[in-house]
Amino acid sequence: MNAFSMSPLSLQLDELTSPEIRKLIADGYLSVLVPLGATEQHGPALPLCVDNAHGLETALRAARALGRTLVGPVMTLGCSPEHARFPGTVSLARETVVAMLKDIAESHARSGFRLVYFWCGHGGNFPMLQEALEQMAGRWPSCRIAGIRDIQKYVRETWDTLPLREGVPPEVSGSHAGEFETSMMLALRPELVRVAEAEAGAPDPLDVVFDTMMREGIDAVSPNGVLGDQRGADADRGRRYLDGLAAWLVRDVEKHRKELGL
């Protein structure tokens, strides 16, 4: 095994050459993580790329911990109709997202990967992921297509639990563009966080505002588009949040890899 196969120049698929990827797959890099992001508003302090940024970073941290795992290109557009009245938001139709997921999975299966795991950096893509996973079940016998199947369990064990361990209450950490995501962005891309513009948004938990938000738009429950409070975010907490999300991903992917003998 040569030096490259033991330590690739990058774990990001789109930063490698095709011959390099072929060699890595032959050397046992048979798992690929695919972050599902979005381009949507995240309140006055955060850029539209938040879900793409933390989705990619947590996937990379997980890939390093798992070993012999690559990270596919981020799907940077998602289904975000509830944010559509905020300028800059780009929202894809449900059927478009499902079709993209199926095309991405087929591409990775054709390349020779044995496990394709879709990682939701944007929760709004979860229903489309479930639909796509059902349609793709068993389609490629040599490749398993997987992803988060229980969103409530995932949120309970990460977005709910990680801030509480840090002493941050739910009405501050928030479910969209609050302290949780602001802290992660301070850890990842501090130059993109408009700290002076940070604001508090609606303190209500997601399950209280969800129906209204999806029916009328997030601005109906939070005029500035924030669920939580962007103020008081902290980069060190953000790094621990990223580690916590990555650790959850590692545990879920390891179940599939064990079953597949990878």
Side-chain angles (χ1 to χ4, degrees), residues 87-104:
T89 295
V90 180
S91 181
L92 302 180
R94 182 186 184 105
E95 57 269 22
T96 303
V97 174
V98 173
M100 289 180 68
L101 293 174
K102 292 163 68 175
D103 287 347
I104 291 169

Side-chain angles (χ1 to χ4, degrees), residues 6 24 47 60 93 105 112 144 156 172 178 193 200 211 221 244 256:
M6 299 219 18
L24 286 169
L60 286 169
R144 175 180 295 188
R156 185 172 62 250
V172 173
V193 181
D211 289 343
V221 297
H256 294 285

Side-chain angles (χ1 to χ4, degrees), residues 70-189:
L70 297 179
V71 177
V74 182
M75 198 172 91
T76 59
L77 302 178
C79 190
S80 309
E82 68 274 21
H83 302 285
R85 282 196 285 270
F86 286 83
T89 295
V90 180
S91 181
L92 302 180
R94 182 186 184 105
E95 57 269 22
T96 303
V97 174
V98 173
M100 289 180 68
L101 293 174
K102 292 163 68 175
D103 287 347
I104 291 169
E106 182 171 5
S107 297
H108 291 318
R110 185 173 57 243
S111 291
F113 290 103
R114 292 193 56 207
L115 174 63
V116 180
Y117 186 101
F118 287 105
W119 172 235
C120 281
H122 168 53
N125 290 328
F126 179 77
M128 285 106 264
L129 174 60
Q130 303 315 298
E131 183 176 340
L133 289 176
E134 293 299 327
Q135 293 180 20
M136 293 185 288
R139 183 170 178 180
W140 301 284
S142 62
C143 180
R144 175 180 295 188
I145 314 300
I148 297 174
R149 297 308 299 256
D150 187 339
I151 193 69
Q152 292 182 340
K153 179 175 184 289
Y154 163 67
V155 170
R156 185 172 62 250
E157 295 178 354
T158 54
W159 286 64
D160 291 347
T161 300
L162 294 171
L164 287 174
R165 290 177 182 169
E166 299 285 338
V168 180
E171 62 269 22
V172 173
S173 61
S175 56
H176 180 78
E179 179 275 337
F180 191 76
E181 289 192 307
T182 307
S183 291
M184 288 194 290
M185 286 303 289
L186 282 173
L188 286 173
R189 299 292 304 276

Side-chain angles (χ1 to χ4, degrees), residues 206-258:
L206 184 60
D207 59 351
V208 172
V209 301
F210 183 79
D211 289 343
T212 301
M213 181 179 77
M214 297 308 295
R215 184 177 62 251
E216 303 177 25
I218 193 172
D219 49 309
V221 297
S222 175
N224 66 359
V226 176
L227 300 178
D229 193 337
Q230 300 183 319
R231 302 169 299 176
D234 177 79
D236 286 335
R237 278 202 309 274
R239 282 185 278 273
R240 291 191 289 274
Y241 291 159
L242 291 164
D243 284 338
L245 291 177
W248 192 97
L249 176 56
V250 167
R251 291 192 296 272
D252 209 43
V253 172
E254 280 184 330
K255 296 174 187 175
H256 294 285
R257 284 164 51 119
K258 184 177 180 180

